Amino acid sequence: RLAMYLFSLNQTDECVFNADANERINFVNTPAVKVFDKHIGHLKASPLFEVIFQSEDERDRARAKLGAEGRYKGEVSYVVDACEKVLEVNLSMFDDPADDVSYVGVVRDVTTAVIERQAKEKELQRTALEIQERKEMLERDSSNSEAEKLSLAEDNRVKDELLRDIHDRVNDNLLMLNSLLNIQASKIKDPLALSLLDDSQQRVMALSLVHENILDGEDVRGVNMR
């Protein structure tokens, strides 16, 4: 079972760490070699926070967050060979460590997802700016024809449909991701790993519900988070 568990960890895209109370890494899976561009032996010989965070300020913030809440989650930049990556970092700290494990962490390279997200955000911002500019133009020029007003309404309707389609696609992707996590969970027996996967699933489903509520709501610009 242990061999299968370790094999499963090495087949994922996520980097999995655990470390002792002195922040010394006890275990790291092989995907970390590609993400951090460091040999597995070098990773195991290094302190956890120095491997994940290149900035001392980021290390201090992570330690403070873990000390206050026992958990840390955030996106950090990581530069390898002049190439900047974006890493999503999830760390947990145990007050009563077992088997010399005080920290457990999962790190994921989300560079591509962040670039795509930023591109979509810029596109939406451009769309919103275009709508605002056209609205202001209509307000300044009271002599605009009814045909132009109808055209603006049609533009808004098309953009509204586009936004709803985006939310629908994002929701579908999140549901697919949750299904993949379910498949992964079915292959894992370790309670800690299952707990981490369950936390991830809860977050994915929370995001999915947000997109679902926006999709089904009357106003695509927001959702009642309560």
Side-chain angles (χ1 to χ4, degrees):
R1 284 200 296 267
L2 178 59
M4 288 301 298
Y5 172 60
L6 293 175
F7 176 78
S8 297
L9 286 178
N10 288 329
Q11 301 309 305
T12 66
D13 293 328
E14 289 79 14
C15 311
V16 180
F17 295 85
N18 70 48
D20 61 21
N22 295 319
E23 302 178 3
R24 185 66 58 181
I25 294 174
N26 294 323
F27 170 81
V28 57
N29 62 342
T30 54
V33 173
K34 180 180 179 181
V35 172
F36 294 95
D37 194 27
K38 294 179 180 178
H39 189 271
I40 195 79
H42 178 77
L43 290 170
K44 289 183 178 179
S46 304
L48 176 65
F49 288 85
E50 290 185 12
V51 168
I52 297 176
F53 304 102
Q54 293 180 316
S55 162
E56 188 63 38
D57 289 340
E58 289 176 337
R59 294 173 202 149
D60 291 341
R61 283 194 293 270
R63 289 188 181 102
K65 188 79 170 178
L66 284 164
E69 303 177 10
R71 304 197 70 169
Y72 169 85
K73 179 178 181 180
E75 291 182 356
V76 299
S77 62
Y78 197 92
V79 180
V80 177
D81 294 333
C83 179
E84 184 175 356
K85 299 180 179 182
V86 180
L87 305 182
E88 182 185 79
V89 179
N90 286 272
L91 293 175
S92 297
M93 183 176 71
F94 304 106
D95 293 329
D96 184 19
D99 296 329
D100 204 28
V101 175
S102 295
Y103 298 93
V104 171
V106 177
V107 178
R108 187 161 61 101
D109 186 345
V110 294
T111 307
T112 302
V114 169
I115 292 173
E116 291 176 352
R117 183 182 68 198
Q118 291 173 344
K120 288 180 180 178
E121 288 173 352
K122 288 180 180 179
E123 180 62 29
L124 290 175
Q125 288 172 356
R126 284 195 295 268
T127 300
L129 183 60
E130 290 173 3
I131 294 173
Q132 183 65 24
E133 288 175 347
R134 292 201 64 179
K135 180 180 177 182
E136 291 174 355
M137 182 183 66
L138 288 173
E139 290 174 349
R140 286 193 303 265
D141 187 1
S142 59
S143 64
N144 281 325
S145 66
E146 186 65 22
E148 290 178 326
K149 294 179 181 179
L150 291 174
S151 177
L152 177 61
E154 177 63 16
D155 285 349
N156 288 338
R157 184 190 67 78
V158 171
K159 292 180 174 69
D160 184 273
E161 290 181 356
L162 173 63
L163 287 172
R164 291 182 186 276
D165 184 59
I166 290 173
H167 287 298
D168 188 32
R169 291 172 183 268
V170 171
N171 187 46
D172 288 343
N173 289 337
L174 289 169
L175 292 175
M176 181 175 66
L177 176 57
N178 187 58
S179 297
L180 293 174
L181 289 173
N182 271 327
I183 294 172
Q184 187 68 29
S186 68
K187 300 177 182 179
I188 295 176
K189 303 300 181 182
D190 180 75
L192 176 59
L194 284 172
S195 176
L196 291 172
L197 276 177
D198 182 66
D199 286 347
S200 298
Q201 287 181 268
Q202 295 295 336
R203 293 188 179 95
V204 168
M205 290 309 297
L207 290 171
S208 176
L209 284 172
V210 170
H211 287 282
E212 184 176 326
N213 276 274
I214 293 176
L215 179 63
D216 294 337
E218 296 181 359
D219 187 354
V220 297
R221 296 173 299 176
V223 63
N224 186 338
M225 292 302 292
R226 292 185 180 277

